[in-house]
Amino acid sequence: GAVVSQHPSRVICKSGTSVKIECRSLDFQATTMFWYRQFPKQSLMLMATSNEGSKATYEQGVEKDKFLINHASLTLSTLTVTSAHPEDSSFYICSARDDRASGYTFGSGTRLTVV
Amino acid sequence: AQSVTQPDIHITVSEGASLELRCNYSYGATPYLFWYVQSPGQGLQLLLKYFSGDTLVQGIKGFEAEFKRSQSSFNLRKPSVHWSDAAEYFCAVGEGGDYKLSFGAGTTVTVRA
């Protein structure tokens, strides 16, 4: 089946630094990938839609200069949290849309802690 | 815009008992509907999906769901739960050309021995 690899699974960084999270589709091409944020005991909130070769589309209220998304190839999208602050601490999950199967495969998530 | 409602925040069931998780959606066109399961600190695993056709959908791990257009519902069921079914369950609706997913708030399932 379709597999999406997300790295790192867990990262701790200092306030003011930047963190990059990778989302890679291993056995299929993903024209579209999605980035979600999940707070404890809550649902997933869509942050942005990442399209290969074009700019990401951000949801209302999401700062595009803070959450930089790059989808440079059909198998890789990255989310960079710039100048991270403690309030950015959260669980970030990516998903990739498998065009062949009309489905979505999720990564295993990244737990970001900003200290 | 579509919305997804999962009325039950937390459900506790005995092992071997049946389970039903409710999901209601609001969407103008024919929706793409999904159920996902999430274990603590993990990503989401697809249980089943409905795009069209037979309204009773079979999924993995013994789960099934029924699409009822008249009730705008897509409830998830399992005849006999196992302790390993304890997790968070999310209903989701997909829309649009890029098929963005909107998730319900989730239902936490606890299984007691």
Side-chain angles (χ1 to χ4, degrees):
Chain A
V3 177
V4 170
S5 175
Q6 185 174 343
H7 290 282
S9 59
R10 191 178 293 268
V11 59
I12 300 173
C13 71
K14 291 185 178 180
S15 257
T17 62
S18 295
V19 173
K20 180 184 284 189
I21 303 170
E22 288 191 353
C23 181
R24 196 179 295 271
S25 57
L26 296 186
D27 51 359
F28 66 98
Q29 293 184 333
T31 305
T32 305
M33 292 186 177
F34 304 89
W35 288 95
Y36 296 85
R37 183 173 180 175
Q38 186 180 32
F39 291 102
K41 306 290 186 183
Q42 294 190 26
S43 187
L44 282 75
M45 299 300 296
L46 179 65
M47 299 174 65
T49 302
S50 170
N51 296 297
E52 186 270 335
S54 65
K55 291 183 179 180
T57 303
Y58 291 81
E59 296 300 302
Q60 191 171 11
V62 177
E63 300 176 62
K64 60 182 179 182
D65 294 330
K66 180 167 190 61
F67 299 100
L68 299 180
I69 290 173
N70 184 281
H71 194 157
S73 78
L74 285 171
T75 59
L76 175 64
S77 176
T78 60
L79 168 69
T80 301
V81 183
T82 63
S83 186
H85 288 93
E87 57 265 31
D88 299 323
S89 299
S90 191
F91 193 58
Y92 293 87
I93 306 177
C94 71
S95 76
R97 180 165 172 259
D98 185 349
D99 296 332
R100 304 166 305 171
S102 298
Y104 305 80
T105 301
F106 283 80
S108 56
T110 298
R111 170 72 59 195
L112 170 64
T113 303
V114 184
V115 297
Chain B
Q2 78 270 27
S3 65
V4 183
T5 302
Q6 292 179 247
D8 305 303
I9 297 174
H10 193 179
I11 288 180
T12 299
V13 293
S14 298
E15 191 169 17
S18 63
L19 173 69
E20 181 168 15
L21 304 182
R22 295 183 291 165
C23 174
N24 294 96
Y25 66 89
S26 171
Y27 186 52
T30 301
Y32 296 151
L33 297 162
F34 305 82
W35 273 101
Y36 288 91
V37 61
Q38 183 182 36
S39 296
Q42 299 295 314
L44 275 67
Q45 181 182 24
L46 178 66
L47 289 175
L48 46 79
K49 61 187 178 184
Y50 172 80
F51 284 3
S52 64
D54 193 346
T55 56
L56 184 61
V57 181
Q58 300 299 319
I60 63 171
K61 303 185 178 185
F63 285 93
E64 66 176 27
E66 186 171 12
F67 170 57
K68 293 186 177 180
R69 184 186 300 277
S70 61
Q71 299 178 18
S72 297
S73 69
F74 189 57
N75 295 348
L76 181 72
R77 298 191 292 257
K78 184 169 184 176
S80 176
V81 299
H82 186 262
W83 63 265
S84 60
D85 293 322
E88 189 79 15
Y89 291 80
F90 292 99
C91 180
V93 175
E95 70 149 339
D98 56 7
Y99 305 104
K100 293 192 297 185
L101 290 183
S102 292
F103 285 85
T107 299
T108 303
V109 173
T110 299
V111 181
R112 59 178 175 229

